[in-house]
């Protein structure tokens, strides 16, 4: 497994590879099964699979969160190799943001201002869009793989790629979950055993909403209350629980077509997000 640290070395390595296509999996390291599922998807599709490992400082709104972010490159390289990656791109901050760096890629509108943008500040998605644009320019991958767990990130990246005419296919991979349904996240490592148990209320709340929808409840206000009740029972601090349009992320009054239910909570000061795609029964029936 090769590890390269500069864009120049990365381009050389890509030039040496054959022309079976390049798949890129952008990560911030602390790899877990969720990341590895993206690597495996890339492996299936392409001859050269590159995993980038870069804790991007510009997307953190909280310096303490950035400092506390888990880092273990040797382990990441081993795990990436085990899932079939060919190359790890692990630049330092100066490589990605050289002295005098003054460019920001900004996606505007409700897709960046609502939900995560509202809670973490609009600079969060500026940081995400800028680093993803830089990675896509550095690698020129045929496909780039992202997790559906960060649903808003996928929407923002798709918008940016379309607007800038970047010729990369954006692939959204299903959320990988632990036993009990908790979405895998690098932040789960910071949960105490009791916080981990309480965090199971997140997937339970999403299942509650799915269950109510399957029994015919389509009112978004009622569905949200059902989910909030589950979260409150475990005293989780809810930042938001919303039912939104999957493309524009505007709040919906009722679920008469596929909708995204997104949630963000804090458990013992660890911030966790999750989501589920809601499909009303009549839409499911129409698919059959
Ligand atoms: P991160 O290192 O947290 O920036 O995540 C890197 C990529 O892995 C992002 O596209 C995430 O959406 C994706 N990812 C993180 N957790 C999961 C998960 N549980 N299932 C699937 N993809 C995930």
């Amino acid at each position: 497994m090769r590890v390269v640290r500069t864009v120049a070395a990365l381009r050389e390595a890509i030039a040496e590879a054959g022309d079976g296509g390049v798949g890129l999996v952008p990560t911030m390291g602390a790899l877990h099964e969720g990341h590895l599922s993206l690597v495996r998807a890339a492996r299936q599709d392409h001859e050269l699979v590159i995993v980038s490992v870069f804790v991007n400082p510009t997307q953190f709104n909280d310096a303490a969160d950035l400092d506390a972010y888990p880092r273990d490159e040797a382990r990441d390289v081993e795990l990436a190799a085990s899932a079939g990656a060919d190359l790890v791109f692990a630049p330092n901050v100066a490589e990605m943001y050289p002295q005098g760096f003054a460019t920001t890629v900004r996606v505007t509108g409700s897709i960046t201002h609502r939900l995560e943008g509202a809670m973490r500040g609009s600079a969060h998605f500026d940081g995400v869009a800028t680093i993803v644009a830089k990675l896509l320019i550095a690698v020129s991958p045929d496909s780039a793989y992202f997790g559906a767990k960060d649903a808003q990130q996928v929407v923002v990246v798709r918008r940016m790629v379309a607007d800038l005419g970047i010729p990369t296919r954006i692939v959204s991979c299903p959320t990988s979950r632990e036993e009990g349904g908790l979405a895998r996240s690098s932040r789960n490592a910071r949960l105490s055993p009791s916080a981990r148990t309480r965090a199971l209320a997140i997937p339970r709340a999403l299942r509650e909403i799915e269950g109510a929808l399957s029994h015919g409840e389509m009112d978004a206000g009622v569905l949200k209350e059902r989910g909030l009740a589950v979260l409150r029972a475990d005293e989780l601090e809810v930042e938001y629980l919303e039912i939104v349009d999957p493309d524009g992320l505007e709040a919906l009054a009722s679920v008469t077509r596929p909708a995204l239910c997104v949630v963000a909570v804090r458990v013992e000061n660890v911030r966790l997000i999750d989501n589920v795609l809601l499909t009303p029964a009549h839409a499911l029936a129409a698919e059959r």
Side-chain angles (χ1 to χ4, degrees):
M1 159 72 78
R2 260 180 93 182
V3 180
V4 295
R5 303 196 182 278
T6 65
V7 173
L10 176 65
R11 291 210 170 111
E12 262 175 45
I14 294 168
E16 284 163 15
D19 50 11
V22 178
L24 172 68
V25 180
T27 81
M28 297 205 297
L31 299 188
H32 53 65
E33 182 53 36
H35 299 111
L36 301 185
S37 66
L38 272 51
V39 176
R40 286 189 207 104
R43 177 77 283 157
Q44 288 225 320
D45 295 348
H46 295 295
E47 188 177 317
L48 182 66
V49 174
I50 301 174
V51 175
S52 63
V53 174
F54 180 63
V55 182
N56 178 32
T58 64
Q59 72 189 69
F60 283 80
N61 52 318
D62 177 353
D65 191 26
L66 174 61
D67 285 346
Y69 206 83
R71 292 168 169 88
D72 187 344
E73 188 184 296
R75 181 176 172 276
D76 288 342
V77 169
E78 214 169 278
L79 285 173
S82 75
D86 301 299
L87 189 70
V88 166
F89 175 50
N92 63 21
V93 173
E95 177 69 11
M96 297 315 277
Y97 298 107
Q99 184 77 30
F101 192 87
T103 301
T104 297
V105 178
R106 172 169 300 155
V107 177
T108 59
S110 63
I111 62 170
T112 49
H113 292 156
R114 300 195 69 242
L115 307 170
E116 290 298 285
M119 298 315 300
R120 304 183 65 166
S122 59
H124 169 66
F125 283 117
D126 290 355
V128 170
T130 303
I131 196 65
V132 173
K134 281 183 65 83
L135 289 169
L136 294 180
I137 289 166
V139 175
S140 288
D142 297 275
S143 312
Y145 298 79
F146 294 85
K149 180 187 159 258
D150 297 281
Q152 190 169 6
Q153 174 167 279
V154 176
V155 170
V156 171
V157 168
R158 283 195 199 282
R159 181 78 260 160
M160 177 193 73
V161 162
D163 290 354
L164 297 183
I166 296 176
T168 295
R169 181 175 71 115
I170 302 301
V171 182
S172 171
C173 299
T175 300
S176 161
R177 296 178 183 279
E178 297 178 1
E179 224 169 283
L182 183 64
R184 291 184 207 276
S185 163
S186 307
R187 291 194 168 88
N188 292 358
R190 281 155 56 190
L191 294 170
S192 69
S194 71
R196 186 173 282 263
T197 305
R198 285 168 60 214
L200 291 175
I202 303 167
R204 257 204 321 278
L206 295 177
R207 287 197 298 265
E208 172 78 15
I209 291 172
E210 280 182 304
L213 180 70
S214 72
H215 284 96
E217 180 58 69
M218 290 194 288
D219 184 296
V222 174
L223 291 168
K224 275 164 60 171
E225 267 315 311
R226 295 280 293 261
L228 285 169
V230 173
L231 297 173
R232 285 193 201 114
D234 270 287
E235 292 173 11
L236 300 189
E237 191 190 320
V238 181
E239 287 193 353
Y240 60 76
L241 185 148
E242 295 240 32
I243 294 175
V244 300
D245 176 83
D247 300 318
L249 305 182
E250 300 92 359
L252 296 175
S254 61
V255 183
T256 52
R257 56 191 161 88
L260 199 61
C261 180
V262 285
V263 60
V265 306
R266 277 181 186 276
V267 199
E268 285 176 1
N269 223 26
V270 180
R271 191 168 185 280
L272 300 173
I273 62 170
D274 201 349
N275 66 81
V276 68
L277 190 66
L278 299 175
T279 310
H282 64 82
L284 277 176
E287 266 175 27
R288 285 195 201 108

